[in-house]
Amino acid sequence: MTTTVFPAMRTTDAAATTALLAALGFTERLTVRDEADPELIVHAEYALGDTGGIMFGSVRNDGSALDSVGGSSLYVVVDTEREVDRLYEEITDMGHAIVKPVATQPHGGREFDFRDHDGNSWGVGSYRGA
């Protein structure tokens, strides 16, 4: 059996979230929109490679712990240091707040950190772990 972890979060701006995920290389697997308001996403799944992914939906103010936007922290692994540098430029151009500029790390790999429009913390790097 293969175990997979899917971080889950909600967003105040579904269009901005889907644009960010596309920029980071995620691909849409499923999007269910609210019938009364198609701008709202009830549930979405975006894949990253063969085993990674994320689930998200629009804020619904339903008392769920997920409605507390801005508390997620995610690390996206990319294949090369060149890809890290390219994404750094793209994420910067999209207007996201850079928390830690792109740099080579003493433990290996190259990475940077930023916050998205909802205040979630993202790291992007080439380090795959020990």
Side-chain angles (χ1 to χ4, degrees):
M1 178 172 103
T2 301
T3 302
T4 304
V5 175
F6 279 92
M9 63 184 187
R10 294 218 180 136
T11 180
T12 60
D13 187 337
T17 297
T18 57
L20 173 59
L21 292 175
L24 292 171
F26 286 79
T27 55
E28 179 183 1
R29 278 205 179 144
L30 171 72
T31 299
V32 178
R33 295 189 177 274
D34 185 291
E35 289 181 18
D37 183 357
E39 295 293 316
L40 298 177
I41 293 179
V42 175
H43 177 80
E45 298 175 18
Y46 276 63
L48 183 64
D50 293 333
T51 59
I54 189 167
M55 296 181 195
F56 73 95
S58 298
V59 169
R60 295 194 270 291
N61 299 314
D62 61 1
S64 166
L66 290 177
D67 259 354
S68 238
V69 297
S72 295
S73 181
L74 305 108
Y75 181 72
V76 177
V77 179
V78 298
D79 289 332
T80 66
E81 291 182 356
R82 178 177 282 163
E83 182 69 359
V84 173
D85 291 341
R86 185 192 72 73
L87 285 170
Y88 179 76
E89 294 301 322
E90 187 166 351
I91 295 301
T92 300
D93 289 347
M94 291 175 79
H96 294 291
I98 300 299
V99 175
K100 186 174 81 174
V102 67
T104 300
Q105 301 303 308
H107 58 273
R110 192 159 170 78
E111 63 187 41
F112 68 94
D113 295 339
F114 71 95
R115 290 201 186 276
D116 69 14
H117 55 279
D118 283 323
N120 295 302
S121 298
W122 293 78
V124 176
S126 58
Y127 181 70
R128 294 191 174 277

